[in-house]
Amino acid sequence: MRNTAKITTAVLAAGALTLGLSACGADSSSTDGPLIVAASPVPHAEILNYVKDNLAEKEGLDLQVKEFTDYVTPNTATQDGSVGANYFQNKPYLDDFNKKNGTDIVPVVTVHLEPLGLYSHKVKKADDLKSGATVAIPNDTVNEARALKLLAADGLITLKAGVGNEATPSDIAKNPRNLKFKELEAAQTPRSLDDVDAAVVNGNYAIESDLKPSKDALVLESPKNNPYGNFLAVKKGNEDDPRVKKLAKLLTSPEVKKFIQDKYAGSVLASF
């Protein structure tokens, strides 16, 4: 039986470093107790629960998994010690989060990539998007830029030269289809598909919504030289925690690679 606590925290503000975290669990700063890891439900918690159920005991690791449905609380809980680690994010997102919130969370090991994709319930291919079509995109800094880069890579828009991980629709240089953009919380983008012409959806939210990125995406991010791999992360100074080292080893084991390949069939790609 999975020992997973599901916590819905979409209402928390990005700056709430000290509010609402008492429910996250006991202090995880001691290296003697269980390692509590905050994770998005899919695929992160699924991967962690595979490790918990099949690999952790043999390595002497007491692993507990807490699920969060937003991209803020896993970091705030890691920063304040409510959890010992998290697994849900990529480097550009973490860099932006640390900068804006004064946190000092660091990557430990990269595990997988969830390709970002463009989806639609109304057209079968990106070229079928009509002039004036509305496209939903994530509204957080990094994922919004990532979404715009995806659209630019497919020739739907052209971004201004030199724009980086903070690109917004105002950085679009050419928009030949006069696309309109609806900026939503990342978790809301797949739910918007009946209301917009297309939506750019993060891989984990696509899978949760029964979308198959490798099959259903009109446009899918390339894994080649991709900076958006998802990793295990801890508060700086906890990288040498023996529990974290054990988990990092297990997350990059041949058994986990096979689990990812078999379960996600190309919708999630092992990065090791």
Side-chain angles (χ1 to χ4, degrees):
M1 181 176 178
R2 287 173 52 177
N3 180 22
T4 302
K6 293 188 176 182
I7 300 177
T8 301
T9 54
V11 298
L12 290 183
L17 295 178
T18 60
L19 298 179
L21 297 173
S22 59
C24 294
D27 179 28
S28 297
S29 58
S30 170
T31 60
D32 297 327
L35 178 63
I36 304 173
V37 183
S40 298
V42 181
H44 310 80
E46 291 180 342
I47 295 170
L48 287 169
N49 277 302
Y50 170 79
V51 171
K52 175 180 178 290
D53 295 340
N54 296 279
L55 305 175
E57 184 176 359
K58 185 177 179 181
E59 288 292 324
L61 175 64
D62 184 357
L63 178 63
Q64 295 183 13
V65 183
K66 283 187 176 290
E67 295 185 10
F68 293 84
T69 58
D70 73 309
Y71 285 167
V72 175
T73 319
N75 275 336
T76 58
T78 301
Q79 180 72 21
D80 84 345
S82 298
V83 301
N86 68 56
Y87 174 33
F88 77 100
Q89 65 192 321
N90 56 56
K91 190 64 163 55
Y93 178 84
L94 177 59
D95 288 345
D96 181 71
F97 189 94
N98 280 334
K99 180 180 178 181
K100 288 181 175 177
N101 294 282
T103 47
D104 57 349
I105 298 165
V106 296
V108 176
V109 65
T110 301
V111 181
H112 76 269
L113 171 72
E114 303 158 27
L116 199 73
L118 177 68
Y119 300 85
S120 177
H121 287 171
K122 299 179 180 178
V123 298
K124 297 295 185 181
K125 55 186 180 179
D127 282 345
D128 291 339
L129 287 171
K130 296 180 180 179
S131 178
T134 299
V135 179
I137 58 176
N139 65 3
D140 63 273
T141 301
V142 171
N143 282 305
E144 182 168 59
R146 187 179 174 189
L148 294 172
K149 289 178 182 179
L150 175 70
L151 299 177
D154 198 60
L156 294 172
I157 60 172
T158 300
L159 293 173
K160 296 175 183 176
V163 297
N165 293 323
E166 296 184 356
T168 70
S170 65
D171 293 306
I172 295 174
K174 296 180 181 179
N175 185 0
R177 297 173 189 264
N178 193 31
L179 298 178
K180 296 178 174 58
F181 296 96
K182 187 172 184 178
E183 297 167 287
L184 301 172
E185 183 183 350
Q188 300 297 322
T189 55
R191 302 171 198 172
S192 73
L193 282 168
D194 288 332
D195 303 316
V196 297
D197 297 290
V200 179
V201 183
N202 290 72
N204 60 315
Y205 292 132
I207 297 167
E208 285 180 34
S209 302
D210 295 323
L211 295 168
K212 299 185 184 302
S214 58
K215 178 183 177 182
D216 296 332
L218 307 183
V219 181
L220 194 63
E221 211 172 28
S222 170
K224 186 176 181 180
N225 299 320
N226 196 302
Y228 297 106
N230 285 202
F231 47 71
L232 181 70
V234 298
K235 185 177 180 180
K236 188 175 182 179
N238 294 339
E239 302 94 320
D240 292 329
D241 182 326
R243 302 169 303 169
V244 172
K245 286 188 171 183
K246 287 179 181 179
L247 180 56
K249 176 183 175 183
L250 293 175
L251 282 173
T252 53
S253 65
E255 292 89 345
V256 167
K257 177 174 279 191
K258 185 176 187 304
F259 173 78
I260 291 173
Q261 291 171 340
D262 292 347
K263 184 170 182 63
Y264 302 111
S267 295
V268 177
L269 307 172
S271 299
F272 55 94

